[in-house]
């Protein structure tokens, strides 16, 4: 069962230089994260259980407290948008499970995109970013919305740099984070990625259940777990891997969500010329263009097998991030279960694993109860971040 109550992925093999030391760390500017975890070279600790591998971190962007501090300020700053109204947190709101609760993301001037805003919790563990994987790393992903005309709409990355240079609080923060005050878009991406890597959570009832505590989840949820790994076939894409328990295969599947009213082959022909340029900015804009967006992973690979395919989203905290699917077309977890029970939406490129499941009402209810056990019970760690959001 992919796409939101379903999965995404990454191959966090972990940084080779990680030192497995438990320590306590606190941030100085209002947000306090204090948890034992995995420590990185400059002593930034991530709250990762011992059995879970740390996320992949690029050699040229080691995690540091100063970069996390800068990244957090950038993440919540609407001045990174052309009219000072939209920040990263607008679509990835800590009050809403780091999603936005809307079918599709909304940018400057209330412009609507074409895809649902996924949570950034545990995004550090995804192999690629965005629903179609058009960004390899968080560093790449973080800077694209800044210049997307629907999202934050800055005219260029150079314009972002110029704007930040004129804000007196930023040069000192860049100096603290990078040793020099120069502001570049590369450093903006590195700082944002560093902050987002701190948004990890692997503490939920399902974890305790899988460690042997049968009382951690209800009998209904336990029946759901049996269905998850059997009749409902959820584990085909959302199987549990103890070292990377994000419940995603990190692959792309056409389950028919985008095929309800679209002819993928005709859409592919329409966009062929634009895609031949291979420009990342063009692909980013096509990804949020109505109809064309439904081409999914094809926009990145240009391979027929990827027509209408989208990344399997992670299951953690799925209860908090409705609506579901890449286009926000399913309002509830039960609606998602119903979609899979029907075998998705038939189309020439439908994933071979999709088929009617024959679930009854009780079984669907048990699966929904199981999905609720993926909700983290340590999210209060992020309560201080909620205060950085504008009043609703």
């Amino acid at each position: 069962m992919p796409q939101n109550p379903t999965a995404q992925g990454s191959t966090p093999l972990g940084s080779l230089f990680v030192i497995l030391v438990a320590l306590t760390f606190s941030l100085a500017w209002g947000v306090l994260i204090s948890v034992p975890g995995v420590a990185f070279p400059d002593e930034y600790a991530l709250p990762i259980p011992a059995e879970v591998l740390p996320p992949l971190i690029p050699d040229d962007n080691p995690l540091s407290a100063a970069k996390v501090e800068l990244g957090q300020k950038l993440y919540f700053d609407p001045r990174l948008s052309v009219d000072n109204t939209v920040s990263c947190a607008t679509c990835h709101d800590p009050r809403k499970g780091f999603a936005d609760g809307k079918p599709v993301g909304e940018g400057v001037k209330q412009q609507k995109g074409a895809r649902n805003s996924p949570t950034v919790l545990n995004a550090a563990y995804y192999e690629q970013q965005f629903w179609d994987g058009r960004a390899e790393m968080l560093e790449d992903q973080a800077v694209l919305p800044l210049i997307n005309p629907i999202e934050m709409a800055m005219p260029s990355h150079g314009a972002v740099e110029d704007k930040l240079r004129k804000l007196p609080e930023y040069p000192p923060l860049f100096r603290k984070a990078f040793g020099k005050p120069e502001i570049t878009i590369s450093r903006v991406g590195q700082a944002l990625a560093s902050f987002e890597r701190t948004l990890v959570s692997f503490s939920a009832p399902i974890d305790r259940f899988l460690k042997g505590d049968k009382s951690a989840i209800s009998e209904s949820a336990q029946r759901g777990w049996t269905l998850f790994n059997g009749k409902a076939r959820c584990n085909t894409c959302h199987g549990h891997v103890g070292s990377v328990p994000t419940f995603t295969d990190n692959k792309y599947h056409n389950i028919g969500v985008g095929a309800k009213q679209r002819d993928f082959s005709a859409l592919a022909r329409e966009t062929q010329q634009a895609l031949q340029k291979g420009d990342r900015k063009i692909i980013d804009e096509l990804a949020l263009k109505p109809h064309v967006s439904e081409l999914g992973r094809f926009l990145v690979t240009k391979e027929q097998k990827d027509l209408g395919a989208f990344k399997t989203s992670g299951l953690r905290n799925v209860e908090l991030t409705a609506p579901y699917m890449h286009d926000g077309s399913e309002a509830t977890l039960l609606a998602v279960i119903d979609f899979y029970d029907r075998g998705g939406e038939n189309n020439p490129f439908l994933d071979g694993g999709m088929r009617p499941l024959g679930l009854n009402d009780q079984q669907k209810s048990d699966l929904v109860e199981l999905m609720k056990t993926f909700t983290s019970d340590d999210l209060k760690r992020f309560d201080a971040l909620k205060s950085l959001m504008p009043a609703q």
Side-chain angles (χ1 to χ4, degrees), residues 14 25 124 145 154 176 203 223 235 254 277 281 298 323 354 358 382 385:
F25 176 78
M154 289 295 288
K176 184 178 177 183
S203 177
R223 291 194 298 270
N235 66 343
N254 176 330
K277 297 179 180 177
K281 186 174 186 299
F298 175 83
M354 295 296 291
F382 305 117
L385 295 177

Side-chain angles (χ1 to χ4, degrees), residues 59-371:
D59 290 343
D60 64 353
N61 190 29
L63 202 60
S64 74
K67 268 188 280 187
V68 172
E69 176 186 6
L70 172 59
Q72 176 181 298
K73 183 171 179 60
L74 291 167
Y75 183 94
F76 288 94
D77 194 339
R79 293 176 297 180
L80 268 67
S81 64
V82 69
D83 60 359
N84 304 325
T85 61
V86 174
S87 69
C88 304
T90 300
C91 293
H92 305 285
D93 187 336
R95 299 167 300 186
K96 300 174 182 177
F98 291 91
D100 62 7
K102 301 174 182 176
V104 296
E106 294 183 12
V108 296
K109 300 178 182 177
Q110 286 77 52
Q111 295 181 96
K112 293 185 178 181
R115 293 183 182 172
N116 180 257
S117 302
T119 179
V120 295
L121 276 175
N122 297 324
Y125 281 84
Y126 298 153
E127 289 181 357
Q128 291 113 14
Q129 303 297 325
F130 291 120
W131 281 101
D132 52 19
R134 64 185 181 278
E136 288 294 323
M137 300 293 293
L138 284 171
E139 283 81 354
D140 306 318
Q141 183 279 327
V143 298
L144 283 175
L146 303 176
I147 57 171
N148 188 295
I150 291 177
E151 296 180 291
M152 299 165 86
M154 289 295 288
S156 67
H157 281 147
V160 176
E161 295 168 348
D162 290 341
K163 193 171 185 180
L164 288 174
R165 288 180 190 123
K166 295 173 183 174
L167 300 173
E169 66 268 41
Y170 274 108
L173 288 174
F174 275 81
R175 177 189 293 280
K176 184 178 177 183
F178 296 99
K180 297 179 180 178
E182 283 76 23
I183 295 175
T184 67
I185 197 64
S186 175
R187 289 179 174 177
V188 170
Q190 288 180 319
L192 284 167
S194 294
F195 169 65
E196 290 177 341
R197 288 194 175 98
T198 69
L199 306 177
V200 294
S201 176
F202 293 102
S203 177
I206 187 64
D207 299 303
R208 294 191 292 280
F209 172 72
L210 293 176
K211 289 178 180 177
D213 180 2
K214 301 302 179 187
S215 66
I217 66 176
S218 67
E219 291 184 3
S220 173
Q222 291 185 39
R223 291 194 298 270
W225 180 245
T226 300
L227 290 162
F228 183 96
N229 294 289
K231 183 177 181 179
R233 299 167 51 82
C234 309
N235 66 343
T236 302
C237 298
H238 300 281
H240 176 252
V241 177
S243 59
V244 190
T246 50
F247 296 93
T248 172
D249 62 0
N250 285 309
K251 295 181 180 177
Y252 302 82
H253 303 275
N254 176 330
I255 60 172
V257 174
K260 294 173 184 173
Q261 300 175 1
R262 308 293 170 218
D263 180 338
F264 288 129
S265 296
L267 281 174
R269 287 193 294 274
E270 287 178 24
T271 57
Q272 196 169 17
Q273 185 174 1
L275 290 176
Q276 284 177 345
K277 297 179 180 177
D279 183 281
R280 193 168 67 164
K281 186 174 186 299
I282 291 176
I283 294 174
D284 187 64
E285 292 178 7
L286 288 174
L288 297 191
K289 185 177 180 180
H291 310 327
V292 176
S293 172
E294 302 303 337
L295 291 171
R297 179 70 172 161
F298 175 83
L299 289 172
V300 180
T301 67
K302 298 183 274 297
E303 296 181 18
Q304 180 174 291
K305 68 178 180 60
D306 290 325
L307 282 167
F310 291 87
K311 188 165 63 175
T312 306
S313 55
L315 290 183
R316 287 191 174 273
N317 299 298
V318 67
E319 178 188 14
L320 307 178
T321 59
Y324 305 106
M325 304 300 191
H326 75 271
D327 58 357
S329 57
E330 302 295 346
T332 66
L333 288 172
L334 182 58
V336 174
I337 300 297
D338 280 335
F339 179 88
Y340 284 106
D341 186 50
R342 296 194 300 271
E345 194 76 25
N346 191 35
N347 70 89
F349 308 100
L350 186 68
D351 190 286
M354 295 296 291
R355 65 198 61 172
L357 301 172
L359 301 172
N360 61 37
D361 288 346
Q362 181 60 58
Q363 290 169 329
K364 294 176 184 177
S365 176
D366 290 341
L367 284 167
V368 170
E369 287 306 304
L370 174 69
M371 294 298 106

